[in-house]
């Protein structure tokens, strides 16, 4: 039988290649950071990691992770509820819930798992989930696992959200699910309007804040802080694999009973191994650092402003906003990949994004600014984008 599948796969792979959509992995030869080396030895400045606060290789976090291994071991060989819960797991749940301003939290191996876990136990076929059309793949998959009616509102269209909420009125429970920050566009969800509508139509609000936790909002608590709706969001899922040290792991934070119920019913919690001590120790340290000072999120904000202003002045089409995700719109798939390759040759590591990660005809280079970038690196990137943009016709002379 495999021969038939092999032929099918080879045909599909060829068509991905010929459409210019093939995603190759570029191997890096150093720890994650602003300065990295790619295979072959070339040193480049990294502008495509989710290492927003530069904590991915922070010595304090590395030391905390090593201490956690020495004290608590390498792994637990168990799910949480059998014999996989140690004191640091409880500490991290308390720390992340406190940081987010919610009552409790439950850990998962990733935010992908957190999103796979959160909907199915809480909502059944008599309920409705009303989801933004640009939600992350893991929310979409999590919603698919749940029997609730799935309704999708057009991204950022609050008339459409209101229509959907109105038509969900007969349902026993309603929940609006949205990214806090949309990862391909850097848009920050208007949680004020979402919470107003959710309250008007008696719905719960769930936010995936993976691209916000640690740096969005005056104290880096996330989109709910930025939009001044702390206390009005019922559930937040987030990752430890981006700003909070960048290793892996995630959580669902929320109201106490929601978290307690998920501990009884969430399948990725009941049937998957516990988060290892090194990650728990490292994430606890990241939360401690960010709770004590806003220095890193302030540096990120200032780097982002400088970069966005520089590119706009050069004449590039950057999606407006304030988030460190800066999408440089090129629209054409091949141009996006060609420009990313040319920038790499100039020592600026960025990646072109094309379908199916973004809609067809909306190809772009998604630049991600970090607090770890120096002003000189930001300025060098602006120069390289300007040079290459002129050369390839992305900037009109
Ligand atoms: C919005 C969003 N949610 C969830 C995830 C998944 O997070 P994790 O890497 O912890 O599985 C990502 C990562 O790409 C993301 O961007």
């Amino acid at each position: 039988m495999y021969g038939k599948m092999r032929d099918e796969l080879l045909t599909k792979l060829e068509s991905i290649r010929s459409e210019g959509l093939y995603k190759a992995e570029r191997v890096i030869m150093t720890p994650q950071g602003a300065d990295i080396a790619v295979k072959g030895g070339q040193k480049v400045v990294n502008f495509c990691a989710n290492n927003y606060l530069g904590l991915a290789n922070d010595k304090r976090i590395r030391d905390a992770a090593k201490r956690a291994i020495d004290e608590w071991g390498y792994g637990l060989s168990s799910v949480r509820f059998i014999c996989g819960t140690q004191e640091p797991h409880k500490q991290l749940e308390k720390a992340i819930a406190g940081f987010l301003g919610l009552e409790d939290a439950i850990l998962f191996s990733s935010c992908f798992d957190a999103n796979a876990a959160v909907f199915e136990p809480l909502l059944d076929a008599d309920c409705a989930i009303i989801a933004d059309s640009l939600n992350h793949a893991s929310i979409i998959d999590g919603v698919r696992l749940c029997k609730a009616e799935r309704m999708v509102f057009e991204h950022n269209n609050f008339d459409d959200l209101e229509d959907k909420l109105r038509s969900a009125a007969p349902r026993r429970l309603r929940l609006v699910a949205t990214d806090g920050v949309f990862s391909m566009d850097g848009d920050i969800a208007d949680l004020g309007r979402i919470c107003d509508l959710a309250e008007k139509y008696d719905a719960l609000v769930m936010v995936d804040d993976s691209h916000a936790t640690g740096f969005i909002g005056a104290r880096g608590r996330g989109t709910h802080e930025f939009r001044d709706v702390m206390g009005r969001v019922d559930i937040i899922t987030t990752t430890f694999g981006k700003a909070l040290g960048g290793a892996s792991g995630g959580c669902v934070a929320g109201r106490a009973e929601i978290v307690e119920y998920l501990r009884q019913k969430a399948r990725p919690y009941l049937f998957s191994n516990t988060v290892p001590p090194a990650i728990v120790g490292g994430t606890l340290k990241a939360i401690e650092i960010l709770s004590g000072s806003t220095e890193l999120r302030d540096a990120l904000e200032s780097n982002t402003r400088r970069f966005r202003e520089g590119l706009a002045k050069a004449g590039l089409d950057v999606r407006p906003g304030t988030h460190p995700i800066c999408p440089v719109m090129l629209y054409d798939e091949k141009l996006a990949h060609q420009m990313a390759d040319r920038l790499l040759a100039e020592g600026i590591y960025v990646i072109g994004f094309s379908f199916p990660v973004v809609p067809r005809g909306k190809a772009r280079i998604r630049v991600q600014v970090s607090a770890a970038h120096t002003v000189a690196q930001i300025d060098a990137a602006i120069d390289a984008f300007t040079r290459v943009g002129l050369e390839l016709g992305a900037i009109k002379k």
Side-chain angles (χ1 to χ4, degrees):
M1 187 76 220
Y2 180 61
K4 191 168 176 204
M5 177 185 264
R6 183 171 172 275
D7 291 347
E8 280 182 19
L9 293 177
L10 288 173
T11 308
K12 286 179 187 163
L13 283 165
E14 190 39 47
S15 102
I16 295 173
R17 268 195 203 91
S18 65
E19 287 181 73
L21 303 177
Y22 194 86
K23 286 170 281 303
E25 292 173 350
R26 220 171 241 149
V27 177
I28 69 171
M29 305 301 285
T30 53
Q32 188 59 275
D35 299 289
I36 57 168
V38 290
K39 202 163 184 182
Q42 190 197 356
K43 293 200 165 81
V44 294
V45 186
N46 190 358
F47 278 91
C48 55
N50 299 306
N51 185 20
Y52 293 113
L53 297 174
L55 291 176
N57 191 33
D58 186 280
K59 183 166 183 332
R60 294 163 294 181
I61 294 184
R62 289 202 321 261
D63 288 346
K66 287 180 201 163
R67 276 197 306 277
I69 289 192
D70 289 344
E71 201 172 332
W72 298 98
Y74 172 67
L76 269 302
S77 298
S78 172
V79 298
R80 282 286 298 276
F81 80 95
I82 298 180
C83 54
T85 298
Q86 297 170 319
E87 196 51 38
H89 293 97
K90 303 308 283 182
Q91 286 166 1
L92 178 53
E93 284 170 342
K94 189 157 180 262
I96 188 70
F99 187 79
L100 297 173
L102 287 159
E103 289 172 8
D104 200 357
I106 170 174
L107 304 183
F108 291 91
S109 297
S110 66
C111 187
F112 206 107
D113 267 1
N115 287 336
V118 68
F119 302 105
E120 186 264 343
L122 299 175
L123 302 162
D124 60 26
D126 293 335
C127 305
I129 298 172
I130 303 134
D132 187 290
S133 60
L134 292 191
N135 277 349
H136 189 259
S138 55
I139 302 183
I140 295 171
D141 286 6
V143 171
R144 279 191 189 133
L145 293 170
C146 174
K147 294 205 166 55
E149 184 186 359
R150 211 180 324 149
M151 296 178 167
V152 176
F153 69 97
E154 194 187 322
H155 176 56
N156 238 358
N157 179 339
F158 298 103
D159 291 336
D160 194 27
L161 172 58
E162 184 156 16
D163 280 351
K164 300 285 173 354
L165 279 164
R166 219 179 274 121
S167 57
R171 299 289 175 171
R172 198 178 81 251
L173 297 169
R174 288 157 294 285
L175 178 139
V176 180
T178 182
D179 281 23
V181 170
F182 292 84
S183 56
M184 287 302 129
D185 294 324
D187 291 357
I188 304 181
D190 190 342
L191 291 186
R193 295 187 71 180
I194 290 175
C195 288
D196 287 349
L197 284 171
E199 280 157 23
K200 182 169 170 193
Y201 292 92
D202 200 20
L204 296 139
V205 176
M206 173 271 177
V207 177
D208 173 344
D209 232 9
S210 292
H211 287 277
T213 302
F215 58 97
I216 293 296
R219 296 170 306 146
R221 304 307 158 104
T223 308
H224 57 324
E225 181 183 38
F226 181 77
R227 294 293 190 197
D228 200 18
V229 294
M230 286 184 87
R232 296 172 69 195
V233 172
D234 301 283
I235 300 169
I236 292 179
T237 61
T238 195
T239 184
F240 308 144
K242 302 191 195 294
L244 299 186
S248 67
C251 70
V252 177
R255 304 196 187 273
E257 302 76 15
I258 290 178
V259 173
E260 187 179 357
Y261 192 67
L262 291 178
R263 273 187 216 288
Q264 303 308 310
K265 295 284 180 182
R267 292 168 71 80
Y269 186 78
L270 297 175
F271 299 108
S272 183
N273 203 34
T274 190
V275 180
I279 288 182
V280 175
T283 310
L284 270 166
K285 179 54 80 176
I287 294 170
E288 182 192 315
I289 293 168
L290 302 181
S291 303
S293 159
T294 60
E295 194 183 333
L296 289 174
R297 58 95 40 222
D298 297 345
L300 175 60
E301 192 170 73
S302 138
N303 278 351
T304 301
R305 197 177 310 117
R306 188 178 185 94
F307 185 73
R308 281 180 166 277
E309 283 172 7
L311 285 202
K313 212 161 136 212
L316 280 157
D317 180 358
V318 186
R319 254 186 87 90
T322 55
H323 195 273
I325 291 173
C326 308
V328 180
M329 300 305 297
L330 297 157
Y331 304 99
D332 180 80
E333 260 98 36
K334 284 193 173 138
L335 175 61
H337 293 294
Q338 197 186 1
M339 185 149 166
D341 288 345
R342 279 287 298 112
L343 284 161
L344 184 69
E346 299 276 331
I348 304 297
Y349 184 21
V350 287
I351 294 282
F353 283 77
S354 50
F355 182 81
V357 182
V358 295
R360 274 186 207 278
K362 292 270 176 72
R364 66 197 66 185
I365 290 177
R366 182 182 72 167
V367 182
Q368 287 172 288
V369 178
S370 169
H373 290 130
T374 62
V375 167
Q377 287 172 329
I378 298 280
D379 290 349
I382 297 168
D383 281 354
F385 263 94
T386 309
R387 262 195 323 277
V388 174
L390 283 166
E391 177 191 313
L392 298 181
I395 299 175
K396 303 287 171 258
K397 284 185 195 144

